[in-house]
Amino acid sequence: MKYDFNQIEKKWQKYWADNQTFKAENNSEKPKYYVLDMFPYPSGAGLHVGHPLGYIASDIYARYKRHQGFNVLHPQGYDSFGLPAEQYAIQTGQHPAITTEENIKTYRRQLDQIGFSFDWSREVRTSDPSYYKWTQWIFIQLFNSWYNKNADKAEDISELIKLFETEGNSKVNAACDDDVELFSAEDWNGFSTKKQQELLLQYRLTYLAETEVNWCPALGTVLANDEIVNSVSERGGHPVIRKKMTQWSMRISAYAERLLQGLETIDWTDSLKESQRNWIGKSVGASVFFPILSFPNGEAKADSKKQPGYMTGGNNSHLLLERAKEMRVNPTQAEAALWEQLRNKKLNAKFRQQHLIGDYIVDFVCLDKKLIVEVDGKIHENQLEEDAKRTEILENDYYKVIRFSNEEVLGNIEEVLRAIQEELSKRQSVKNEEVPPQGVRGIEVFTTRPDTIFGVSFMTLAPEHELVPQITTPAQKEQVEAYIEATAKRSERDRMADVKTITGAFTGAYVEHPFTKQPIPVWIGDYVLAGYGTGAVMSVPCGDQRDYDFAKHFNIPIPNIFEGVDISEEAFADKDKTIIANSDFLNGLNYKEATKKVIAELEKIGQGKGKTNYRLRDAVFSRQRYWGEPFPVYYVDGMPQMIDAKHLPIKLPEVEKYLPTETGEPPLGNATVWAWDTKKNEVVSNELIDHKTAFPLELNTMPGWAGSSWYFNRYMDANNDEAFASQEALNYWRDVDLYIGGSEHATGHLLYSRFWQKFLFDKGLVPVDEYAKKLINQGMILGTSAFAYRLENLTLVDVNRNQESNKIDPKNIEQLKQKTLKDLERFKNSIVKTVKADETVFIPSFNGEIMKMSPVEVSIALQRKVADFLQIDDKSKVLNGEYFVNVHFTPIHVDVSFINASDELDIEAFRNWREEYKDAIFIGEKGEIINGDNDIYKVGREVEKMSKSKYNVVNPDQICEDYGADSLRLYEMFLGPLEQYKPWNTAGITGVHGFLKKLWKLYVGENGLLVNDDEPSKDSLKTLHKTIKKVQEDIENFSFNTSVSTFMIAVNELTAQKCTSKEILESLLILISPYAPHIAEELWNQLGHNESISTAPFPKFDESHLVESSKNYPISFNGKMRFTLELPLDMSKEEIEKTVLANEKTQEQLQGRTPKKVIVVPGKIVNIVG
RNA sequence: GCUGAAGUGGUGGAAUUGGUAGACACGUUGGACUUAAAAUCCAAUGAACAUUUAGUUCGUGCGGGUUCAAGUCCCGCCUUCAGUACCA
C-alpha cells in the first residue's frame, strides 16, 4: 500500500469536522490551556506559504497540550473590517460584506486543508453585527468612565459627577485634558447641561475633541501614530499631514504607567517589550521654571517671587481664584448677558469668564487670541485710573483689552459682539493651544537631568514656541523671523534626514537662573521639538551632546560642573559616573542625590517640581471610512449621546457610494437612513431629523484595532448574546497561555489590546489585567525571487582611442576589475556607438552570479557572445579586443513557478506568460542561443518579501496538492527557528516528504501492515526514548525545527533496526501527531484504534533505556581530536588515563614525547597536553 | 545615534551547563534499477595539501585574551536585519 496523502488528509479532515474533535469545553475536569493565533485579515489574495507559519507552530503546541491531558482552547476567526475590501468596493461597487464573505470562504478552505485543530464553533468575525455589538458596548463603557488617579483605576462617570456636584473639580485627581478650567460645586450645578457635557468629555476615557491628527489626503482618512512609518502611511506610502479635526480619541495615556509596569509580569519577547517601553517613553525628571528677565520693551525684570498662579507655593493666587469663582457665580446683569453670548463659541472663539490673568481677575478672556473683554460698572474717578494702569500692564503682556460699559452691553449687544468679532479677527491665534501659566512671564522646561542645573548656560526653545515672538528683541527680530521661516519651510523629512547641521538664532531675551540669579540667554533651535515636553530645553552643554554642539557652534560658554571630567572634546552624559561640582549646594553629590536635593530646593522656592513625562499620546479612534464599526452615538445640540446598550448593535447603513460625500463628510454621510429616533429607539431616515426626537448619527467609524482589542475574550464564549462573554467562561479560561503572532503589531494591536483589557479589568468585567501570559513572534517567511536579465543595449568602446588606458587585455581580468563603471565614464570620447537589440534578449545569469559581478566583468564575460549574436558590423574588432563592449541589462522578475529545482527556467512557460516575451531570445550558460535542449537558462535569485508584484508567492494549495499538508507543516517547521526570518525554497520540501514516505514504510509494506507485538529491541527502545526526551524538550522550548530532525533520525534508525514492534511504533505516532496529524491518525487507525489519536496520552520518557555501559571517548591532543576510543563508563579516571596512554595510536601521536598533562573528564573527553 | 537580534559549508540550519564543529535536510557528483523518465536505493560531499595506505594543515564575521580545551566566556572592532529616532 502506498502513502496516498491526498486521500488520507481529506479523510481525516472530514473526520475531525464531523466529530468536532477539537471542540473545547467550557466545563471540564481537565486543566485549561488557551493557545491563540493573531486572527487574519481575509485579503483577496488568499494565503501564501508564509501565513500559516505561526498557525502551524501554535497548532503543534495545542495538539501537544491535548496529548498532555489539557482542555485546550485553540480558536480562529477573522479581523474582517479593513481597508482593502472598501477600496475594492469603491472601484467595483461590490459591497465589502460580500467581498469579505468570499475571501473568508477562501481562507477557510485553505486553512482547513492544512489540518489545523481549530475549534471552529467559536469563530469570530469583527465585521459581524453579533460581534461588533460588543465592540460598541465596550466603547460605551469607555465613554461612561473616567480615570481616577487616586484609586489608579477607571471608575464610572457617575462617581465623577457626584464629586463635581459636591466639591467641584479642584480636588479631583484624574486623567484629563490639559486645559480643564477650575470650577466649584456651585459652578457645576449652575452650568447648563451642555456645558456639563463638555466638561465631562474632558475626563471620559473615550472623548470627542478637536485634536491635531495625522491626515492622509490620498486615503481620505486620519491615521494613528502606529499607522505611519517614516512619515508616510503604512498602507500605500502616501504623505501624511497634520490637521486639526474633531475626532474620537482613546485616553490610553491614563494607562501609560500601568502599561509599562504590566510588562514586568508577562513573558513576552524582550524586543517586543522594549518596543512598547520606547513607545510609552517614560522619562523621569523635573519641571523647572525660569522667569524671563528682559522683554523687548525694556521692562524691568520680573520678580519671580511675585509670580502668581505658578505652582502652589507662597502666593495669593488661590485667594484670587476663590474670588474669581465667587464672581462667576454672581455676575452683573450685563456680564451675564454677554457671557450668554460668548460661552458657546458663537464667535468661533473660546472665552472664559472671571479668569485670573496675572494679579488681576478679568471679566472675559479668549486665551487663544489673548483678547480681554471688560464690562465696567459705575465708573469712579479712581477706578478709571486703576483700570488704565491695569490695561497697560496687561497689554505689556501682549493682551489686548477692550472695554464696554454696562449700557453698551445691555443696550446693543449685537454691536458689542460685532466689535469683539472684529478685534478677534485682527489678532493672530497663539499657535500652541497651551497657554503659559496664568500671568507668569517665564519659561517652563522639562529635564531629566535637574542635577545639572548649574551647568545651564543657555536656553533653547523650539522655533514654534509660543513665547518666541513675544520675547524677541527688536535687534534680533529679523534674524529670528528669518530662522523661523527657514525651519518652517523644511519638511519634516528634511529635518529628519539632516540631523547633523546645527542651526539656531538668538532671541535677545534672557531668563533668570533659579539659584544663581544669573541671566541666561534664550535661543531658538530646531533640535528642540515643539511637541515634546514644553518645547523648551534648559541647555546644559557639558552634559548633553546636542547642547554641546550647539554651544560650540554659536560660541556659547560651556561651564564644567562635573568633578574630574574632561569636556574639552565632548559632553559627558554618563549619569552613573557623575559627581557634581561647581554647583553650590550640589557639590560632591552623585546623580541620584543631586537630583533629589535640587528638586526639593526648587519646590521650596516654587520654581519646579519632580515630574514624569510620557511620550505615549492618546489614540485617535475615528476613521473616515465605511467598512468599520459604526459608533453607537448620536448628536443632540452638537454633543455626543450614547445609544442605550440594549438597542445594540447599531448596524452599518447601506450607502450608494463608498467615497466621501461632496461636502467632504465620511462615507456614512451618503447614507439616507442614518438618524436615531429616541422615541422608537431605532435607526430612521435622515428626513425625519428634527432635533427633537430624531437626531443625526455619528458619521465616522471605528479604526481597525477596535475589534482586535478584545477578541481573545470573545472566543471564551463566542456565541453569547447576553454578554461579550459570560463570567463563568471568563473565569474558567481567564487568559491566553500562549499567543503567537507577528512583531509588527508591537505598538499597535498589542498595546491597545492591553489597554482595553486593563480597562475591562478595572470595571470588573474580566478577571485578569494582562490577557496573554506568553507571547512569541513568529518570523516571516521570505520569498526567493527569480530573475532573468533582459539586455537593454551595448555600448561599443574603442579602447585604442582612449589615451589613458591604452589597450585592455581582456585576459587580464585583474586589471579590468580595477576599472569601475566610473572609469568607463572616461571612455566617453571613445564610444563608437550604442546598439540596441531588435528583439527581446535575455543574457545568461552566469549561474546566478551576474549581480555580484562588476560591470567590467559582465562585459568581458559577454562581449563575444553578445557581439556575435547581434552581428554588429565591427564584429572582428570586438572579437580581437579592439572594441570593448559595455553591457546594459535589467533584471526582470520571473514567476517562480517557471523554475525547477536547479534554477533552470522553463522558457516555453515564460514565453507564454506575457505577450511581450512571446519571441524572447535566451542566451544560455554556454553562450548559445537556446533552441531546444542545446543550452539551459539559469535564473538569478534574491530573497525578498513575498509579494504578488515580485512573482515570488508560493501558494500552499499547490504544495498540499503535490506533497500534502503534513509535508507542508513539517517543512515550515523544518525551515528554521520559529522567530527567525527565513527564505522559502519549495525544492527543499522533498526532504520532509521523503521522510513521511519512510515513516509510512516503517508501518505499511507492500502487503499491508508490518507492525506486530514483538518485544522491542534494546536499540529501538533507546531510539524511542531519546526521541521522546528531545521532542518534549523541543516543543516546550518552541524549537520545532530541531524536533523534525529528531523524527528523521528516529525513523532512519528504526528503519535500520527493522523495528516492527507495536510498542515502539505506537508511541512514535503520538510524538509525530502534533506535527503531521493526518498520517498519524491514519496509521493509528490502522494499528487498530477507533478513537482519534488527538487525546492519546503523550509517551513517558524512561531514562533507564538510555543508560550506556560504555562511551566512545574522543581522544584529543592539545585540544585537537585525533581519534576515538571505546571505554567502559564505569572506568575510573586513573584507569582511563592508563588505558589511553597505553594505546598504540596515542604513542604514535606522541612520537616518544612524554605528555605534560593528561585531562580526563569521565563520560566526556580525554585531552593530552604534550 | 540608541535599543534589540544575528553573523557557522554551495543553501536552510544543528551543536543543552566551555568538551568529537557542520546533526538533519536541500543541492551537487558518481553508481544501481529502468527502453526512458519519474520514483526509489547506495556512496561521496567544509577547504587546501597528500593520495598506495595512512594522514597533515586551515576552518564558526575581524583582532586580541582567558582555558588542558572556545562557535560558546571576556575585551575591542566590523557587517547585516528589525524597531526607534534631535524625547531634553
Side-chain angles (χ1 to χ4, degrees):
Chain A
M1 240 167 61
K2 248 188 78 183
Y3 168 46
D4 183 353
F5 52 87
N6 291 120
Q7 180 260 324
I8 291 169
E9 291 179 357
K10 280 204 187 75
K11 171 178 160 189
W12 289 101
Q13 281 160 14
K14 184 170 185 305
Y15 174 92
W16 296 329
D18 291 348
N19 292 280
Q20 300 213 45
T21 308
F22 305 114
K23 195 166 157 46
E25 294 302 328
N26 274 12
N27 305 302
S28 169
E29 299 284 291
K30 296 176 178 178
K32 71 102 187 181
Y33 203 90
Y34 185 176
V35 183
L36 181 67
D37 292 301
M38 286 185 186
F39 61 169
Y41 173 78
S43 81
L47 293 174
H48 65 61
V49 289
H51 292 122
L53 179 71
Y55 304 157
I56 293 170
S58 66
D59 197 58
I60 288 169
Y61 207 79
R63 286 174 180 270
Y64 169 70
K65 281 286 170 183
R66 287 196 196 92
H67 287 302
Q68 294 277 15
F70 285 84
N71 178 31
V72 174
L73 174 55
H74 186 38
Q76 189 58 288
Y78 305 97
D79 189 12
S80 47
F81 271 134
L83 225 68
E86 179 160 345
Q87 304 281 52
Y88 189 72
I90 291 168
Q91 284 160 23
T92 64
Q94 165 119 280
H95 196 289
I98 297 171
T99 317
T100 303
E101 180 69 36
E102 280 172 5
N103 293 348
I104 285 178
K105 269 193 194 132
T106 308
Y107 263 65
R108 179 63 191 273
R109 182 185 58 73
Q110 290 190 297
L111 290 171
D112 279 349
Q113 81 186 350
I114 301 173
F116 292 118
S117 64
F118 293 131
D119 177 358
W120 284 107
S121 72
R122 294 169 188 256
E123 179 196 296
V124 303
R125 299 177 185 191
T126 54
S127 63
D128 194 307
S130 69
Y131 180 88
Y132 68 66
K133 168 181 175 178
W134 298 108
T135 310
Q136 292 172 335
W137 185 84
I138 294 170
F139 174 81
I140 295 172
Q141 306 311 306
L142 282 156
F143 183 81
N144 288 331
S145 302
W146 64 293
Y147 198 86
N148 183 345
K149 282 189 181 171
N150 289 339
D152 208 12
K153 60 185 275 204
E155 290 181 354
D156 199 89
I157 199 80
S158 59
E159 301 289 326
L160 184 66
I161 294 172
K162 249 184 248 161
L163 287 173
F164 287 175
E165 283 168 351
T166 53
E167 56 187 35
N169 71 346
S170 58
K171 287 186 203 147
V172 170
N173 187 12
C176 60
D177 290 3
D178 296 330
D179 58 345
V180 283
E181 59 182 281
L182 283 177
F183 54 80
S184 65
E186 299 84 65
D187 291 341
W188 173 262
N189 294 323
F191 288 150
S192 66
T193 317
K194 182 168 178 179
K195 170 84 182 174
Q196 289 181 343
Q197 287 183 18
E198 270 171 2
L199 289 168
L200 285 172
L201 270 179
Q202 299 190 300
Y203 288 85
R204 296 181 190 274
L205 284 181
T206 183
Y207 59 96
L208 196 58
E210 181 163 87
T211 43
E212 198 164 83
V213 296
N214 308 300
W215 173 257
C216 180
L219 294 173
T221 188
V222 301
L223 297 170
N225 287 339
D226 70 281
E227 291 168 318
I228 298 162
V229 179
N230 296 332
S231 65
V232 296
S233 70
E234 186 188 24
R235 213 169 247 288
H238 304 293
V240 174
I241 57 169
R242 305 286 290 168
K243 187 178 171 184
K244 280 209 161 183
M245 286 178 77
T246 299
Q247 298 281 296
W248 285 102
S249 286
M250 285 282 162
R251 210 178 294 281
I252 188 172
S253 56
Y255 283 87
E257 186 61 32
R258 280 171 65 191
L259 287 168
L260 192 64
Q261 294 307 324
L263 291 173
E264 306 298 326
T265 67
I266 47 181
D267 182 10
W268 291 17
T269 59
D270 287 338
S271 69
L272 202 141
K273 287 197 205 178
E274 201 55 34
S275 292
Q276 293 210 345
R277 281 192 200 106
N278 288 339
W279 196 259
I280 294 167
K282 178 180 182 174
S283 35
V284 181
S287 155
V288 185
F289 182 74
F290 290 79
I292 293 169
L293 280 174
S294 51
F295 268 77
N297 59 9
E299 190 195 336
K301 87 171 212 183
D303 184 347
S304 63
K305 296 253 163 44
K306 255 179 75 186
Q307 299 306 321
Y310 184 75
M311 305 299 163
T312 45
N315 59 46
N316 61 350
S317 63
H318 67 283
L319 293 175
L320 284 163
L321 268 177
E322 284 305 308
R323 171 101 183 101
K325 283 186 196 164
E326 198 179 303
M327 286 165 75
R328 251 178 251 161
V329 184
N330 305 305
T332 65
Q333 199 190 345
E335 282 167 4
L338 187 55
W339 180 236
E340 196 49 48
Q341 296 299 316
L342 294 177
R343 64 188 303 175
N344 293 332
K345 294 194 187 172
K346 282 201 180 132
L347 298 177
N348 272 326
K350 188 174 180 181
F351 276 88
R352 294 155 203 263
Q353 66 164 337
Q354 299 300 343
H355 202 84
L356 193 64
I357 305 283
D359 286 344
Y360 305 110
I361 297 167
V362 300
D363 288 343
F364 303 104
V365 59
C366 172
L367 291 172
D368 213 18
K369 303 235 172 172
K370 292 207 139 192
L371 180 69
I372 292 167
V373 180
E374 294 271 59
V375 179
D376 302 330
K378 291 172 216 114
I379 298 168
H380 301 295
E381 283 291 306
N382 57 348
Q383 202 183 343
L384 205 65
E385 212 173 275
E386 209 172 273
D387 279 350
K389 198 175 138 205
R390 176 173 155 164
T391 305
E392 192 195 316
I393 290 174
L394 285 169
E395 291 194 345
N396 270 338
D397 217 358
Y398 300 94
Y399 281 95
K400 168 82 182 177
V401 183
I402 49 175
R403 295 177 178 280
F404 300 98
S405 67
N406 282 350
E407 289 73 27
E408 281 175 297
V409 172
L410 292 172
N412 190 352
I413 199 154
E414 290 305 318
E415 180 55 33
V416 168
L417 286 173
R418 201 199 51 74
I420 295 172
Q421 179 79 72
E422 194 185 314
E423 206 50 57
L424 279 172
S425 63
K426 276 192 222 157
R427 295 188 64 81
Q428 274 198 342
S429 178
V430 178
K431 268 188 189 162
N432 195 325
E433 266 231 282
E434 271 181 41
V435 284
Q438 294 162 354
V440 176
R441 283 167 288 182
I443 296 168
E444 189 189 349
V445 301
F446 173 73
T447 176
T448 54
R449 294 297 302 276
D451 58 314
T452 63
I453 193 159
F454 286 91
V456 174
S457 63
F458 61 106
M459 178 91 22
T460 319
L461 307 186
E464 301 91 335
H465 196 284
E466 53 169 6
L467 283 175
V468 171
Q470 301 172 29
I471 61 172
T472 304
T473 57
Q476 295 300 112
K477 198 172 173 199
E478 201 178 323
Q479 213 188 328
V480 165
E481 280 176 358
Y483 181 67
I484 292 174
E485 206 187 314
T487 46
K489 261 192 209 153
R490 291 220 300 171
S491 70
E492 198 151 316
R493 279 208 139 182
D494 290 347
R495 259 169 95 158
M496 268 164 68
D498 176 26
V499 182
K500 293 273 139 60
T501 319
I502 295 159
T503 59
F506 179 45
T507 62
Y510 290 86
V511 291
E512 179 191 86
H513 192 283
F515 298 114
T516 67
K517 305 295 176 193
Q518 290 300 306
I520 295 167
V522 180
W523 287 69
I524 58 173
D526 68 358
Y527 79 96
V528 178
L529 304 176
Y532 183 78
T534 59
V537 175
M538 62 172 227
S539 303
V540 183
C542 64
D544 182 286
Q545 195 57 43
R546 289 157 309 169
D547 295 345
Y548 187 92
D549 295 341
F550 195 89
K552 270 266 153 97
H553 191 259
F554 291 108
N555 269 322
I556 303 169
I558 303 176
N560 189 353
I561 50 142
F562 300 119
E563 208 168 286
V565 171
D566 174 30
I567 53 151
S568 58
E569 290 300 323
E570 56 179 6
F572 177 76
D574 192 339
K575 279 183 198 172
D576 299 331
K577 290 184 188 152
T578 295
I579 301 290
I580 302 290
N582 303 324
S583 298
D584 196 356
F585 57 88
L586 298 177
N587 285 342
L589 301 181
N590 66 23
Y591 159 72
K592 265 194 171 164
E593 297 158 347
T595 301
K596 204 173 157 194
K597 177 125 193 211
V598 76
I599 290 174
E601 291 297 321
L602 283 167
E603 281 176 359
K604 234 184 253 173
I605 59 169
Q607 280 188 244
K609 59 180 175 184
K611 194 178 175 185
T612 302
N613 238 13
Y614 297 93
R615 201 167 66 100
L616 183 70
R617 294 294 147 87
D618 284 350
V620 181
F621 198 66
S622 301
R623 294 292 181 278
Q624 292 66 46
R625 288 274 144 205
Y626 176 75
W627 193 231
E629 296 88 348
F631 285 85
V633 172
Y634 62 97
Y635 286 89
V636 176
D637 195 13
M639 296 308 294
Q641 312 295 326
M642 292 297 123
I643 290 170
D644 200 317
K646 63 179 176 247
H647 308 304
L648 299 179
I650 303 304
K651 291 188 190 169
L652 259 180
E654 294 304 317
V655 291
E656 289 260 322
K657 283 192 312 184
Y658 302 97
L659 285 168
T661 66
E662 273 157 30
T663 53
E665 284 180 331
L668 292 193
N670 291 318
T672 51
V673 182
W674 195 236
W676 184 251
D677 190 314
T678 53
K679 283 263 158 59
K680 292 190 206 150
N681 284 314
E682 60 182 35
V683 177
V684 296
S685 166
N686 294 5
E687 288 163 16
L688 299 175
I689 293 175
D690 55 7
H691 297 284
K692 291 192 184 81
T693 57
F695 301 92
L697 280 156
E698 170 73 54
L699 299 181
N700 288 296
T701 53
M702 297 187 197
W705 52 271
S708 61
S709 291
W710 69 280
Y711 76 112
F712 37 87
N713 288 317
R714 183 64 177 171
Y715 282 135
M716 297 176 186
D717 195 9
N719 302 306
N720 193 328
D721 267 344
E722 308 300 316
F724 68 85
S726 73
Q727 283 303 309
E728 297 83 63
L730 286 160
N731 282 322
Y732 177 71
W733 293 109
R734 297 180 70 83
D735 52 8
V736 175
D737 294 282
L738 174 65
Y739 194 13
I740 296 186
S743 57
E744 66 272 23
H745 299 108
T747 51
H749 158 65
L750 289 175
L751 197 58
Y752 297 131
S753 52
R754 290 182 59 222
F755 157 47
W756 278 34
Q757 181 75 5
K758 286 185 187 299
F759 166 72
L760 293 173
F761 174 76
D762 285 354
K763 304 286 281 186
L765 296 165
V766 295
V768 286
D769 81 333
E770 288 288 350
Y771 69 89
K773 282 199 203 107
K774 182 170 179 67
L775 181 138
I776 294 180
N777 294 127
Q778 91 268 21
M780 197 185 290
I781 293 187
L782 303 166
T784 315
S785 303
F787 294 92
Y789 301 91
R790 190 177 66 203
L791 179 68
E792 299 302 330
N793 57 52
L794 307 177
T795 306
L796 297 188
V797 180
D798 184 345
V799 234
N800 296 318
R801 267 173 30 199
N802 189 296
Q803 292 165 349
E804 284 180 67
S805 60
N806 292 325
K807 194 171 172 177
I808 298 170
D809 177 5
K811 284 174 206 137
N812 190 347
I813 303 254
E814 268 317 302
Q815 183 197 342
L816 282 162
K817 266 189 183 168
Q818 284 160 27
K819 304 276 164 214
T820 60
L821 192 59
K822 206 170 152 201
D823 288 326
L824 276 169
E825 279 286 297
R826 288 194 281 125
F827 285 110
K828 257 186 188 152
N829 306 330
S830 334
I831 289 174
V832 177
K833 62 178 166 185
T834 297
V835 190
K836 199 174 182 325
D838 300 333
E839 296 106 333
T840 308
V841 180
F842 287 92
I843 58 174
S845 71
F846 303 104
N847 282 311
E849 297 289 307
I850 191 166
M851 296 309 282
K852 290 185 207 151
M853 295 158 75
S854 74
V856 178
E857 285 174 300
V858 174
S859 301
I860 291 169
L862 271 174
Q863 59 182 337
R864 284 162 192 276
K865 296 171 189 175
V866 179
D868 210 26
F869 167 75
L870 285 182
Q871 303 192 326
I872 44 184
D873 318 332
D874 320 314
K875 199 166 103 185
S876 61
K877 289 190 173 176
V878 173
L879 296 180
N880 62 31
E882 281 173 67
Y883 280 2
F884 183 80
V885 179
N886 194 21
V887 182
H888 306 270
F889 60 90
T890 317
I892 304 285
H893 275 102
V894 174
D895 194 315
V896 289
S897 63
F898 305 154
I899 319 294
N900 74 6
S902 318
D903 286 354
E904 288 161 23
L905 176 68
D906 179 344
I907 290 171
E908 268 322 293
F910 181 77
R911 283 186 179 138
N912 293 331
W913 185 36
R914 294 250 177 103
E915 185 59 27
E916 57 190 298
Y917 300 138
K918 203 176 71 182
D919 301 311
I921 291 162
F922 285 85
I923 301 175
E925 294 293 312
K926 286 186 254 170
E928 290 175 33
I929 292 168
I930 298 175
N931 183 10
D933 301 333
N934 61 333
D935 203 348
I936 52 163
Y937 189 87
K938 280 199 175 187
V939 292
R941 291 290 203 176
E942 205 174 309
V943 172
E944 297 178 298
K945 238 177 163 173
M946 267 198 196
S947 111
K948 239 178 167 176
S949 61
K950 295 183 178 123
Y951 302 102
N952 58 2
V953 174
V954 181
N955 189 315
D957 298 12
Q958 196 58 47
I959 304 287
C960 286
E961 178 68 29
D962 295 346
Y963 302 97
D966 285 339
S967 291
L968 176 71
R969 293 170 63 107
L970 280 173
Y971 188 51
E972 296 226 352
M973 292 299 105
F974 188 60
L975 276 179
L978 181 61
E979 300 91 336
Q980 203 163 297
Y981 279 55
K982 52 220 167 226
W984 176 270
N985 177 14
T986 303
I989 202 170
T990 52
V992 291
H993 188 64
F995 157 73
L996 287 175
K997 284 186 190 166
K998 253 191 210 171
L999 176 74
W1000 182 263
K1001 277 199 211 156
L1002 198 52
Y1003 294 78
V1004 185
E1006 296 280 323
N1007 311 310
L1009 211 61
L1010 299 170
V1011 182
N1012 56 34
D1013 290 326
D1014 286 358
E1015 274 293 304
S1017 73
K1018 246 184 137 182
D1019 279 349
S1020 298
L1021 278 168
K1022 190 176 156 192
T1023 299
L1024 175 68
H1025 283 271
K1026 80 175 184 202
T1027 306
I1028 295 173
K1029 182 165 190 268
K1030 177 87 172 118
V1031 169
Q1032 183 155 1
E1033 280 169 6
D1034 283 348
I1035 296 182
E1036 278 162 14
N1037 294 322
F1038 306 98
S1039 175
F1040 301 110
N1041 53 326
T1042 48
S1043 36
V1044 179
S1045 306
T1046 307
F1047 292 138
M1048 290 173 170
I1049 295 167
V1051 168
N1052 287 346
E1053 285 182 5
L1054 292 173
T1055 305
Q1057 292 159 13
K1058 299 195 167 33
C1059 174
T1060 53
S1061 161
K1062 189 168 177 181
E1063 186 184 328
I1064 302 285
L1065 296 177
E1066 211 167 60
S1067 294
L1068 181 68
L1069 278 185
I1070 301 170
L1071 296 181
I1072 290 180
S1073 141
Y1075 291 79
H1078 306 89
I1079 192 171
E1081 286 277 21
E1082 177 63 24
L1083 292 173
W1084 185 253
N1085 183 257
Q1086 292 200 19
L1087 289 184
H1089 296 275
N1090 295 320
E1091 296 282 308
S1092 160
I1093 197 175
S1094 63
T1095 51
F1098 203 77
K1100 247 185 124 57
F1101 169 61
D1102 183 352
E1103 180 85 51
S1104 68
H1105 295 295
L1106 299 195
V1107 174
E1108 301 268 1
S1109 60
S1110 69
K1111 155 94 188 166
N1112 199 18
Y1113 277 94
I1115 313 297
S1116 44
F1117 293 80
N1118 295 320
K1120 282 170 196 155
M1121 206 280 287
R1122 284 293 119 106
F1123 59 92
T1124 59
L1125 196 62
E1126 187 86 19
L1127 295 170
L1129 267 170
D1130 53 11
M1131 209 178 207
S1132 75
K1133 239 176 150 173
E1134 292 71 28
E1135 275 178 289
I1136 294 174
E1137 184 173 335
K1138 224 167 93 189
T1139 319
V1140 170
L1141 285 177
N1143 191 284
E1144 64 178 90
K1145 280 189 185 164
T1146 309
Q1147 290 311 315
E1148 201 177 300
Q1149 285 293 331
L1150 287 170
Q1151 292 184 330
R1153 289 182 309 246
T1154 327
K1156 282 186 194 142
K1157 203 171 171 187
V1158 180
I1159 312 278
V1160 178
V1161 186
K1164 287 240 159 119
I1165 199 167
V1166 176
N1167 190 16
I1168 297 161
V1169 187

